Amino acid sequence: MGLDRRKFLKGTAAIGAATAAGFPQIWIKNSGLAYAAGEIKVGVLYSLTGTTAIIETSLNQATLMAIDEINAAGGINGAKVVPVVEDPASDPATFAQKARKLVVGDRCVSVFGSYTSASRKAVLPVFEKYNNLYWYPTLYEGRECSKNVIYTGAVPNQQQKDFVPWLVKNFGKKFYLIGSNYIYPKEENNVCKILLKELGGEVVGEEYVPLGHSEFSSVISKFKETRPDVIFSTVVGDSVVALHRQYKAAGLDPKKMPMASLTTSEEEIAAMGGEFAAGHFTSAPYFMSYDSPENHKFVEAFQKRWGKGKTTNFVSEPAYFQVHLFKQAVEKLGKKDLTPPAIREAAWGQEYKAPEGLVKIDPDNSHTYLWPKIGEAQTNGQFKIIEQSKEWVKPLPYWAYPGQVCTPEGLQQKKA
Amino acid sequence: MTRNRDAILRLVGYALFCAAILVVPLFVDNGYLLNKFARYLVFGILSLALSLSWGYAGILNLGQAVGFGLGSYCMAMALKLRTIPIQTGAGGLPDFMVWNNVQALPWFWVPFHSYAFAIAAGMAVPAVVAFLIGWFVFPARVSGVYVAIITLAMLVVINLVIIDQQPYTGGFNGITDLTTLKLFGIEFDAYSDATYYLAAITLSLCLFLGLAFVNSKTGLILQAIRDDETRVWYFGYNVAAYQNFVFCLSAAIAGFAGMLYTLVMEFASPTFLAVPISLSIVIWCAVGGRASLVGAALGAIVVTGVQGSLSDTPAFLDTWMLIMGGLFIVIVLFLPNGLISLIDLALGKRRRGRAATAAASVVAIERSESSRRQSAAR
């Protein structure tokens, strides 16, 4: 007889558990299918066309490379990881549509994706409705607590807690806050202002430019007028390039008035040219120049797979290591009940030796313990790492809002 | 009696199309696919709305997405107010307002507590915005490419304002995390038959009412304006008023489509009223056949459908945009009247030249003019 008592019990228990938790029944069918074919389907949802295609393509590549590595090493519990790649074309509506296809149509057990917060917000209803799991690699503004997302990028406390005091100590207390006009810069600046207040610092200007803005002459004349010690920049995309070029053209000196950025990576520097970035600072958990055996391996493999001149950055690194964390979670589950909620629970507390150092998914809030670093941009387009955290830093997505705390059950209000 | 036969054939064609879209849920038992098809139908409505102003009245509106986006936001605002915010619990402000340190609900959000108001606003707001633009444009006898430029500029302005007014509009992220609409005891879940039927019935109604409209006297006058504006002025018609009317009507329909789109997509985003979608509408309309309501709707469904399935196919992942571009060029070159003209070809009809149709509509007006004058003389 093919069906013995133990297997039968296990099967019914799994179904019982699934119905109790109210998952759509699809998942029971799906896990069976996935293993029958010796395949684990995962979605890869990064734009290959449209406005954010350049950076998102690097995320797509890092993800595919990690999947290849896992498959080359024998897959997960003998099953192959099969990526279903979609191109959401930098458009939130297309993101939502493709997420539906991956979750409902292809029955992926997890999806790796998104760069912008707008696209993450657009796919969230899909993942919450179908109780699936989204792995999001980008640093972001925090203040989100979805049980259907694993966040592997930095949140404000991880990027700023050491950075702002360091800037105050080395350059002074007068900050000018400049950002692109959307939620991420505003939240980062909320955090920055709290830190500055504690340190007795002062904000001499706060300004938001439209996304894609490229004319900074009025902003730069305000720099000259207010003479800040630090220009704290959360400008994103093409605007970063324009800001750096016009800063230099205006004859400002990074030694006296450096730009301190949370968003300028090797990619932006490659676009503007190293001489325009040199002397400015960025805080991030990962830089391409970081000296660790894991990072050397990562950079080498990335360039071998995708081309010699390719750069890695602080978004593509999490895009890479989160796939390995996914693998460990699925491994831990063994062969039974491979459902997104089960993967999520197995992912909590997983540790992985990433290129930036040992990272861990925080079981408290599904964000990730990371290793913040401060880098100074060099003329060769790389960062010189001048400071790094002595220990991993716990992610606190609601750091600036003491009344609220993210828990595995969702957001909770702390009782006073 | 060929005109009569044509009209009957057309009615039969429209009925067949509506029947086809209405029976889909009987064969598709998959929420995901229904949702996808509902999305295509919403685009169909949007394209049909442009066909009314562009195909029938010669007003090339490159800002068609303004109405669509405003409608979408009206629905999203109503749904957002009924979503219990996780940050503050019931009765609190929408989450993005809390993030932006807004203290009290802005006055223009307050009436959106009522669904009736929101649905009315979803059509009225786009119509009013269109009216204001039209009020400046048409009496000044601005036409052709200049209308296109002005409408495109308005689109960009409204888009920028929405992105900039983050505390009230959710900015770049749009309005997300919405509850599902419940009306008359029906829950319009994005994946349900109900939402699909809502889109399909709306499209069907728009098709038939639109057909009645374009064959009414107003419709004829509009077509005459398209073909020879000056001549219609000389007949003593207030051309600007007619143009503005169809412009507003088109915006209101687009607004309704926008409301449906929020239900189907479960969020509203400034990309719904951005330049790419606005230009796409023109392409759908051109591909399907702008001077045919069902053609325009079909164009949207076919183009977005092909686009969706091409980009879903791994083999075309890198090239789907190129293929779409190629298809557009082929269709515009070889089927200037759109895919719908294939039906005429299949029926063995020769296309009357554009000049001939132009003459025909003007002659029709002249005839009604002279009869009016005669009756006045009597």
Side-chain angles (χ1 to χ4, degrees):
Chain A
M1 293 302 284
L3 190 74
D4 64 37
R5 204 175 64 97
R6 260 181 67 201
K7 258 191 197 153
F8 177 75
L9 278 180
K10 257 192 199 167
T12 37
I15 292 168
T19 0
F23 318 141
Q25 207 175 354
I26 229 168
W27 293 116
I28 303 156
K29 259 196 283 178
N30 180 31
S31 56
L33 281 175
Y35 273 111
E39 290 181 345
I40 301 169
K41 267 199 200 170
V42 295
V44 179
L45 190 61
Y46 300 108
S47 306
L48 305 174
T49 53
T51 49
T52 50
I54 294 177
I55 186 93
E56 292 197 45
T57 303
S58 79
L59 309 183
N60 167 287
Q61 293 172 337
T63 306
L64 292 181
M65 187 175 97
I67 292 173
D68 286 350
E69 285 177 5
I70 291 164
N71 286 336
I76 312 178
N77 300 332
K80 232 176 94 194
V81 182
V82 180
V84 184
V85 179
E86 291 294 339
D87 174 15
S90 311
D91 171 46
T94 315
F95 260 98
Q97 186 67 48
K98 296 293 183 191
R100 282 175 191 149
K101 181 198 168 257
L102 291 171
V103 170
V104 192
D106 296 321
R107 300 176 176 184
C108 295
V109 291
S110 276
V111 177
F112 305 99
S114 275
Y115 174 66
T116 61
S117 283
S119 65
R120 186 191 67 253
K121 294 267 186 210
V123 301
L124 263 187
V126 182
F127 286 89
E128 291 183 343
K129 166 120 191 169
Y130 288 97
N131 207 2
N132 206 298
L133 195 57
Y134 200 51
W135 297 69
Y136 178 63
T138 316
L139 54 106
Y140 85 113
E141 64 275 7
R143 247 186 166 179
E144 192 175 281
C145 185
S146 171
K147 62 182 175 47
N148 299 95
V149 184
I150 302 257
Y151 307 83
T152 57
V155 286
N157 80 300
Q158 291 172 312
Q159 279 186 289
Q160 291 198 38
K161 210 189 75 192
D162 296 338
F163 193 34
V164 174
W166 182 86
L167 290 167
V168 168
K169 199 180 98 194
N170 287 284
F171 297 97
K173 291 183 171 177
K174 277 165 69 182
F175 275 48
Y176 195 105
L177 312 180
I178 172 91
S180 296
N181 191 3
Y182 69 113
I183 192 79
Y184 169 76
K186 291 198 173 174
E187 274 296 311
E188 290 285 2
N189 287 342
N190 278 347
V191 172
C192 182
K193 281 186 272 188
I194 294 172
L195 286 167
L196 275 180
K197 205 172 167 192
E198 285 170 5
L199 297 160
E202 173 195 3
V203 177
V204 296
E206 180 174 357
E207 194 164 337
Y208 298 94
V209 295
L211 285 154
H213 190 70
S214 61
E215 177 45 61
F216 285 95
S217 53
S218 74
V219 172
I220 283 171
S221 61
K222 281 182 207 154
F223 292 164
K224 288 182 168 166
E225 219 171 85
T226 52
R227 310 278 336 149
D229 299 318
V230 175
I231 298 163
F232 193 76
S233 164
T234 39
V235 170
V236 299
D238 294 343
S239 306
V240 178
V241 177
L243 176 61
H244 279 80
R245 286 177 169 241
Q246 289 166 28
Y247 173 101
K248 188 161 188 200
L252 295 172
D253 181 6
K255 285 202 176 60
K256 293 187 190 117
M257 197 197 286
M259 284 198 265
S261 172
L262 304 176
T263 47
T264 308
S265 76
E266 289 85 352
E267 302 285 343
E268 282 82 6
I269 297 180
M272 73 180 82
E275 72 270 27
F276 295 101
H280 298 294
F281 300 93
T282 295
S283 166
Y286 173 83
F287 292 107
M288 189 178 169
S289 59
Y290 182 59
D291 188 20
S292 77
E294 290 80 15
N295 188 35
H296 293 313
K297 219 182 90 201
F298 170 56
V299 173
E300 200 180 301
F302 194 83
Q303 292 183 334
K304 196 172 155 216
R305 174 86 156 80
W306 301 107
K308 234 182 154 36
K310 291 279 179 186
T311 52
T312 57
N313 59 62
F314 53 65
V315 196
S316 69
E317 189 243 7
Y320 167 80
F321 77 62
Q322 68 179 9
V323 184
H324 284 281
L325 286 165
F326 165 82
K327 174 202 171 213
Q328 292 179 3
V330 174
E331 225 162 34
K332 185 181 160 194
L333 280 177
K335 290 221 169 193
K336 55 180 194 303
D337 55 357
L338 187 68
T339 65
I343 295 172
R344 176 179 71 232
E345 270 177 46
W348 288 336
Q350 286 296 335
E351 294 179 9
Y352 176 74
K353 195 92 171 99
E356 70 179 70
L358 186 68
V359 297
K360 173 181 153 183
I361 298 178
D362 190 343
D364 292 345
N365 55 29
S366 292
H367 288 63
T368 308
Y369 281 83
L370 300 169
W371 294 84
K373 302 171 176 65
I374 298 171
E376 182 180 351
Q378 309 291 304
T379 43
N380 66 2
Q382 291 293 326
F383 283 91
K384 190 173 109 195
I385 295 165
I386 34 187
E387 288 278 323
Q388 52 183 307
S389 179
K390 297 196 175 46
E391 55 190 9
W392 62 16
V393 175
K394 185 178 166 70
L396 297 167
Y398 286 82
W399 182 85
Y401 306 91
Q404 296 170 337
V405 58
C406 183
T407 70
E409 285 78 45
L411 188 75
Q412 306 263 308
Q413 302 290 325
K414 245 187 221 161
K415 298 279 178 296
Chain B
M1 282 287 104
T2 52
R3 279 199 57 164
N4 251 335
R5 218 198 64 194
D6 274 10
I8 289 166
L9 267 177
R10 191 188 293 156
L11 269 179
V12 170
Y14 276 52
L16 280 176
F17 175 80
C18 295
I21 58 173
L22 282 167
V23 298
V24 166
L26 302 180
F27 301 101
V28 178
D29 182 30
N30 176 333
Y32 156 66
L33 283 179
L34 274 184
N35 174 271
K36 191 156 116 174
F37 296 153
R39 183 168 178 241
Y40 298 159
L41 295 187
V42 171
F43 289 148
I45 302 169
L46 186 55
S47 179
L48 174 151
L50 181 67
S51 153
L52 278 180
S53 74
W54 185 30
Y56 284 94
I59 306 163
L60 176 53
N61 181 0
L62 290 187
Q64 187 71 13
V66 167
F68 186 64
L70 291 176
S72 163
Y73 270 87
C74 286
M75 179 53 82
M77 284 160 79
L79 296 176
K80 188 74 191 167
L81 287 176
R82 301 205 176 202
T83 310
I84 295 169
I86 56 164
Q87 312 272 347
T88 48
L93 288 174
D95 52 7
F96 67 87
M97 290 189 187
V98 179
W99 295 336
N100 284 288
N101 312 318
V102 174
Q103 300 304 326
L105 197 66
W107 60 268
F108 63 91
W109 271 74
V110 175
F112 284 87
H113 279 293
S114 146
Y115 276 146
F117 177 88
I119 292 168
M123 289 183 287
V125 172
V128 168
V129 169
F131 177 78
L132 290 176
I133 301 171
W135 192 51
F136 283 105
V137 168
F138 299 121
R141 303 196 65 175
V142 175
S143 63
V145 70
Y146 300 102
V147 175
I149 294 169
I150 291 168
T151 49
L152 187 66
M154 277 312 293
L155 172 78
V156 174
V157 168
I158 292 173
N159 184 263
L160 277 180
V161 168
I162 286 183
I163 291 178
D164 193 62
Q165 293 303 310
Q166 189 166 281
Y168 312 113
T169 61
F172 192 60
N173 287 356
I175 302 178
T176 59
D177 183 24
L178 305 175
T179 185
T180 33
L181 174 69
K182 270 189 217 110
L183 268 187
F184 312 116
I186 307 170
E187 189 168 350
F188 291 99
D189 182 279
Y191 303 90
S192 63
D193 289 6
T195 304
Y196 179 87
Y197 279 125
L198 184 63
I201 291 169
T202 309
L203 178 54
S204 306
L205 280 177
C206 286
L207 278 174
F208 279 104
L209 294 178
L211 196 60
F213 173 72
V214 297
N215 287 310
S216 69
K217 188 174 174 205
T218 314
L220 278 179
I221 293 169
L222 284 168
Q223 291 172 59
I225 292 172
R226 171 195 67 193
D227 296 334
D228 196 337
E229 193 180 323
T230 322
R231 207 158 164 186
V232 183
W233 275 110
Y234 288 158
F235 281 140
Y237 286 102
N238 185 350
V239 168
Y242 280 97
Q243 285 175 319
N244 205 355
F245 174 69
V246 75
F247 193 59
C248 295
L249 180 69
S250 167
I253 297 174
F256 199 87
M259 289 196 281
L260 290 175
Y261 200 54
T262 295
L263 298 183
V264 172
M265 298 307 290
E266 305 177 277
F267 68 103
S269 155
T271 54
F272 295 177
L273 63 164
V275 175
I277 187 162
S278 216
L279 297 184
S280 300
I281 306 169
V282 177
I283 293 176
W284 302 334
C285 225
V287 166
R290 68 191 150 114
S292 157
L293 297 173
V294 76
L298 207 61
I301 295 167
V302 168
V303 171
T304 48
V306 171
Q307 210 164 329
S309 44
L310 265 186
S311 69
D312 277 355
T313 312
F316 297 118
L317 196 62
D318 297 325
T319 48
W320 66 274
M321 280 204 166
L322 208 65
I323 297 173
M324 290 309 295
L327 282 178
F328 293 153
I329 293 174
V330 169
I331 289 174
V332 171
L333 279 181
F334 296 103
L335 284 174
N337 292 310
L339 290 174
I340 202 73
S341 57
L342 282 176
I343 293 180
D344 290 340
L345 287 175
L347 293 178
K349 259 195 305 185
R350 303 205 78 144
R351 204 67 216 160
R352 283 179 297 174
R354 202 176 142 70
T357 47
S361 59
V362 172
V363 165
I365 293 289
E366 263 169 0
R367 226 180 266 141
S368 79
E369 267 311 294
S370 60
S371 65
R372 200 174 70 177
R373 248 177 270 127
Q374 279 168 11
S375 55
R378 258 183 241 127

